Amino acid sequence: MPQVLYSFFDEYDFSGKTIIPFNVHNGSQFSGTIDTIGKLEPDAEGDINDWLNGLGY
């Protein structure tokens, strides 16, 4: 995940929000980005995990 996103998640509170990650670079796909966002925003809406699992991620 780009360093600027760490600052972004540190600055804003996403508690109760749905975070929908997307990728515009298919080289490494999501790598560990999904897990990293989950660790940085543990109180964010959990439904996104079900959605991603349904997509095969």
Side-chain angles (χ1 to χ4, degrees), residues 1-2 4 6 8-9 11-12 17 23 25 29-30 34 38 44 47-48 56-57:
M1 188 164 76
V4 68
Y6 286 91
F8 181 74
F9 283 113
E11 179 73 22
Y12 298 97
K17 304 291 189 234
N23 188 351
H25 182 275
Q29 298 181 350
F30 281 113
I34 305 302
D47 292 341
I48 192 66
Y57 289 102

Side-chain angles (χ1 to χ4, degrees), residues 9 11 13 17 21 25-27 33 39 41 51-52:
F9 283 113
E11 179 73 22
D13 181 13
K17 304 291 189 234
H25 182 275
N26 203 25
T33 300
K39 290 174 186 169
E41 294 298 327
W51 178 72
L52 286 172

